[in-house]
Amino acid sequence: MTRSNGNSVEVENLVKRFGDFTAVDRISFQTRTGEVFGFLGPNGSGKSTTIRILCGLLRPTSGRAIVAGYDVVQSPELIRRNIGYMSQKFSLYADLTVFENLRFYAGMYGVPAAELRGRIDWALEMAGLRGRESNLTGTLAGGWKQRLALGCAVLHRPPIVFLDEPTSGVDPLSRRLFWELIQRMSGDGVTIFVTTHYMDEAEYCNRLALMNGGKLIALGTPTELKLGSIQGWLLLLECDRLGEAIERLRRFDGVRDVAVFGNALHLVVSDAAAAPAIRAALEADAISVTSLQPIRPSLEDAFVALTTGRGANCPSELPS
Amino acid sequence: MSLRRLLAVSRKEVFQVLRDFRSLLIVLLMPLMLMTVLGYGINLDTRHIRVFAFDREGSPASQDLLKRFESSEYFDLVATVTDYRALAAALDDGRCQLAIVIPHDFSARLHDGRPVNVQALVDGSDANTAELAIGYAQGVLGAYGATVQADYLRKSNAPTVNPVLSVEVRTWFNEDLESKNFIVPGVAAIVMAVIGVLLTSLTIAREWERGTMEQLISTPVTALEIVIGKLLPYFALGMLDTAVCAAIAVWWFEVPFRGSLATLAVGSGIYLTAILGLGFWISVVTKNQLAASQIGLVATFLPSFLLSGFTFPIEQMPLGVQPFTYVIAARYYIVILKSVFLRGSGLGALAGPLIALVAYALIMVFLAKRSFHKSLA
């Protein structure tokens, strides 16, 4: 058994098929100690399936995955001692109190009796649930439930924590609080593996893996992805008659992609110097341009670019 | 296996059971309800058969015969009528189950020593009762006939003739041959089978349905710890129900209890483990509360009722059916219950059924554990 690093996740050519459907298609990556590793992708892209394989809850069809130094197929029980997992759906016992849930999971993870009180206090503090120990868990608001779930999952101080869409259905303030907790744990050297489909949350991650259709389509820091995914320049265009503008721009030589973003358009162009010509062409068609300027691509731009393949940094598919 | 984790699972389950007040109420009231309904509802004794009589003679002799019907505990002489039509009407609308017609020359024929025919009309729509009624009626008439013959012989100064052979019957264990004495313990076995399976059939399925299982199986807890940890609290509840059933049997239905409480507790504990294990296995396999409770009910109630030897003796079942009775846990427990209650048997005498139940319980827990994969899909 290769016990390389207690904090790391190493995945090699991992495949999971359900019948004819390939949920995870030959993905490979490695995490680094103490990083927040984000798994980004639309619903059904294979994020949850991957995370479940890594927690030993699903057997991979083929490929290899080493978590905390243990193989997921050979020693899932050893992995379970070394990880914390928070599933997508709220999965604590609604008919137990806050304290009873914590005590139960402390028992499941074998927290030593001497540390029990301290760890439960710590979790209560972290989740902001002090004074609510005897409330039934089912009556808590979403943010509290989710912080309690995190508390339960890390009572045994696991070196790796897996969070499957931890903030779905939680209010923005609670989401921010939650991410502060994640950052703090990562600061303590815990490797955090988190899936999300919120772009703003992805920005908090040290590194991101982009999943689409079961494939890992990009991997890097948020900045790398933003810069690397867009070849050429990104222009923000504000104008009227968006529909006609899109038609016109699709025919314009040098505009590689046009996408609607709110009330404006994002254009991918080979050369920023084309801007005056674009403005002139639109105005020639009686479309009035309010503003046209280069912008920094957002993760959302990168995500769209990468998942649609248009403007993606795979030169073979692009006219140069 | 970690005892701490096992007990943590048990404690959690206890909290959940205590908080689920309605289910708890059902668990505690169901044995009461089922015991009363089934205990009273199933009565194989045919007594107080309603009889109408048409006495065409009205002599002291015919009255004497009717008195014998009246004094028998099997018959209630409801009314005496004066024509056939009334008799037929009473049979038609069920006011009587047996009608006796005494001929007009009843005493004359008796006096002359000629054969006499007494007519009995029986409602055959319930074949079982009809057969018993005929049997009992023949008994009454036979006894009457014997008395008449004896009188006749005495009057004719013939030497008294005693019957050469007579059977002196003594029934052991159920001296009065009361059916409740073997039915009530059987009912207790069925009640416990139903409750035991219902108790556990929901427990695993509920965790899958609510999504709590996914979190639970991501922890180091093992399948065996979950299975046994969850069984313990339900075992305690089940034993409480057993005590309730036994108390109802002894104090309400007045079934004699001749064995020892210890034997009853050991037998019941093993039976309960087998039944809880069965419910557990169903829960693990179905992962769905509704399906689990339905299958649980189907798997216990009717088989325990029909195939356990409770309603029909197993030796009288068709040969093709008999093998199926071996997989009915109630089959073994009913033997134990009847023996402990009526015969006062000890553990040694019950080794056979006890060993069968231990094997049954082990197989069930093993199946539940084996089917319970700590993985999704």
Side-chain angles (χ1 to χ4, degrees):
Chain A
M1 180 160 309
T2 51
R3 191 183 165 86
S4 46
N5 185 337
N7 292 46
S8 73
V9 177
E10 293 164 36
V11 172
E12 222 181 279
N13 287 327
L14 196 68
V15 176
K16 177 68 186 177
R17 281 193 206 95
F18 296 106
D20 291 341
F21 175 67
T22 306
V24 176
D25 194 358
R26 293 173 66 82
I27 64 172
S28 304
F29 62 86
Q30 277 191 17
T31 64
R32 298 167 189 157
T33 298
E35 77 173 338
V36 180
F37 188 86
F39 236 47
L40 192 64
N43 291 333
S45 59
K47 295 172 300 186
S48 293
T49 306
T50 307
I51 226 170
R52 284 170 169 172
I53 292 173
L54 296 179
C55 293
L57 299 178
L58 280 179
R59 279 177 77 92
T61 308
S62 68
R64 216 163 67 106
I66 308 290
V67 175
Y70 301 104
D71 189 290
V72 291
V73 178
Q74 285 158 18
S75 19
E77 292 304 326
L78 287 169
I79 289 176
R80 288 189 185 121
R81 287 172 211 267
N82 288 288
I83 60 161
Y85 168 63
M86 201 179 138
S87 69
Q88 197 166 354
K89 205 177 140 206
F90 175 74
S91 54
L92 298 181
Y93 297 97
D95 49 353
L96 293 189
T97 67
V98 168
F99 182 79
E100 285 161 1
N101 264 308
L102 284 166
R103 176 125 178 244
F104 175 66
Y105 277 101
M108 291 302 100
Y109 286 119
V111 174
E115 288 181 34
L116 186 73
R117 196 64 234 191
R119 289 306 289 166
I120 290 180
D121 280 344
W122 170 84
L124 285 169
E125 200 65 57
M126 178 205 78
L129 282 166
R130 195 161 282 296
R132 294 177 189 269
E133 293 91 335
S134 47
N135 285 25
L136 281 185
T137 307
T139 65
L140 296 178
W144 272 316
K145 274 188 189 164
Q146 156 233 43
R147 289 197 295 276
L148 177 61
L150 178 66
C152 285
V154 300
L155 279 169
H156 55 308
R157 302 176 201 270
I160 307 176
V161 177
F162 291 92
L163 309 170
D164 194 1
E165 304 213 351
T167 56
S168 56
V170 172
D171 65 273
L173 186 67
S174 297
R175 273 172 60 193
R176 199 159 68 203
L177 266 169
F178 192 82
W179 276 93
E180 279 170 19
L181 293 174
I182 291 179
Q183 298 292 354
R184 217 184 306 156
M185 285 199 308
S186 138
D188 294 340
V190 178
T191 303
I192 315 268
F193 195 105
V194 59
T195 73
T196 182
H197 54 234
Y198 291 118
M199 295 299 160
D200 57 335
E201 290 189 351
E203 302 268 4
Y204 294 125
C205 299
N206 297 112
R207 283 198 306 151
L208 281 175
L210 246 64
M211 293 278 288
N212 192 35
K215 289 194 169 68
L216 188 79
I217 53 174
L219 178 69
T221 66
T223 317
E224 280 168 0
L225 288 186
K226 280 186 267 187
L227 295 180
S229 62
I230 310 287
Q231 278 207 339
W233 294 82
L234 191 65
L235 300 178
L236 175 78
L237 168 66
E238 286 174 33
C239 62
D240 61 358
R241 294 153 68 195
L242 286 183
E244 286 170 48
I246 293 171
E247 285 303 305
R248 178 68 193 89
L249 290 168
R250 291 238 159 103
R251 284 182 277 116
F252 193 90
D253 205 22
V255 173
R256 295 220 307 267
D257 194 20
V258 186
V260 181
F261 263 73
N263 295 326
L265 297 178
H266 282 188
L267 317 180
V268 180
V269 294
S270 315
D271 188 354
I278 292 171
R279 181 186 283 263
L282 289 173
E283 280 171 351
D285 279 6
I287 297 168
S288 70
V289 177
T290 327
S291 124
L292 178 66
Q293 59 199 4
I295 52 162
R296 274 190 55 185
S298 68
L299 262 180
E300 203 159 347
D301 293 309
F303 187 71
V304 170
L306 288 166
T307 52
T308 55
R310 280 176 298 179
N313 57 353
C314 4
S316 59
E317 293 178 13
L318 289 169
S320 48
Chain B
M1 197 165 81
S2 146
L3 192 65
R4 247 190 97 208
R5 281 200 297 256
L6 192 155
L7 291 178
V9 172
S10 291
R11 188 172 48 217
K12 180 217 90 170
E13 210 68 24
V14 168
F15 285 139
Q16 288 188 307
V17 169
L18 290 181
R19 220 150 267 161
D20 190 0
F21 184 70
R22 274 185 303 178
S23 303
L24 199 61
L25 209 65
I26 291 173
V27 167
L28 295 177
L29 289 183
M30 206 145 100
L32 216 69
M33 204 188 74
L34 285 177
M35 280 295 281
T36 344
V37 170
L38 294 179
Y40 278 117
I42 306 169
N43 185 356
L44 300 180
D45 297 329
T46 307
R47 288 198 184 146
H48 307 290
I49 298 167
R50 294 182 300 280
V51 180
F52 266 49
F54 176 19
D55 185 355
R56 301 183 69 175
E57 188 181 65
S59 66
S62 66
Q63 287 302 312
D64 193 23
L65 176 62
L66 289 181
K67 282 232 172 58
R68 283 174 180 260
F69 274 97
E70 227 176 327
S71 60
S72 157
E73 59 174 325
Y74 300 111
F75 297 108
D76 280 349
L77 188 59
V78 180
T80 314
V81 294
T82 49
D83 59 69
Y84 260 113
R85 246 180 317 170
L87 217 53
L91 271 171
D92 267 356
D93 54 28
R95 273 176 296 146
C96 73
Q97 293 148 296
L98 177 72
I100 301 287
V101 183
I102 301 175
H104 61 92
D105 52 356
F106 181 69
S107 46
R109 276 172 167 267
L110 276 182
H111 185 79
D112 300 348
R114 282 181 291 157
V116 187
N117 285 320
V118 173
Q119 187 180 26
L121 302 165
V122 187
D123 173 5
S125 58
D126 176 352
N128 191 37
T129 309
E131 214 152 295
L132 287 170
I134 294 168
Y136 294 146
Q138 277 169 345
V140 170
L141 289 169
Y144 183 78
T147 319
V148 169
Q149 257 176 353
D151 274 357
Y152 184 79
L153 286 174
R154 208 172 32 242
K155 277 179 198 156
S156 54
N157 285 327
T160 317
V161 182
N162 286 322
V164 182
L165 267 178
S166 73
V167 180
E168 183 94 348
V169 178
R170 236 189 103 203
T171 314
W172 279 15
F173 309 129
N174 185 5
E175 294 76 1
D176 301 329
L177 283 176
E178 283 189 88
S179 66
K180 77 167 166 45
N181 285 352
F182 63 86
I183 283 179
V184 170
V187 167
I190 294 169
V191 169
M192 279 173 61
V194 173
I195 293 177
V197 163
L198 283 186
L199 277 176
T200 42
S201 66
L202 300 182
T203 168
I204 289 280
R206 187 171 48 215
E207 298 233 17
W208 283 114
E209 267 180 28
R210 295 189 185 165
T212 52
M213 190 55 88
E214 183 164 346
Q215 192 69 43
L216 186 58
I217 61 177
S218 77
T219 74
V221 71
T222 67
L224 196 62
E225 284 158 11
I226 294 180
V227 172
I228 297 181
K230 275 175 171 280
L231 276 182
L232 285 181
Y234 294 112
F235 182 80
L237 265 183
M239 283 308 268
L240 184 69
D241 278 342
T242 311
V244 170
C245 287
I248 295 174
V250 173
W251 284 306
W252 187 259
F253 287 107
E254 296 177 324
V255 176
F257 184 80
R258 299 184 175 124
S260 77
L261 276 179
T263 314
L264 180 67
V266 169
S268 303
I270 299 170
Y271 175 63
L272 198 59
T273 312
I275 288 293
L276 292 177
L278 173 66
F280 215 89
W281 184 39
I282 293 171
S283 195
V284 165
V285 172
T286 57
K287 294 189 179 182
N288 174 303
Q289 292 193 75
L290 186 67
S293 57
Q294 299 283 313
I295 294 175
L297 204 63
V298 169
T300 51
F301 191 70
L302 279 182
S304 308
F305 211 97
L306 300 175
L307 296 179
S308 66
F310 169 72
T311 329
F312 311 111
I314 291 169
E315 311 80 61
Q316 290 175 22
M317 290 178 191
L319 280 180
V321 174
Q322 287 191 19
F324 292 101
T325 64
Y326 290 99
V327 298
I328 312 296
R331 172 202 164 121
Y332 308 104
Y333 188 52
I334 285 179
V335 173
I336 295 175
L337 278 183
K338 281 186 197 167
S339 303
V340 173
F341 269 86
L342 303 179
R343 285 191 205 150
S345 308
L347 287 176
L350 296 171
L354 281 172
I355 288 168
L357 278 182
V358 169
Y360 200 104
L362 287 178
I363 290 170
M364 282 303 140
V365 172
F366 169 77
L367 283 177
K369 194 220 152 237
R370 205 195 54 168
S371 311
F372 180 57
H373 304 291
K374 270 193 76 187
S375 68
L376 304 159

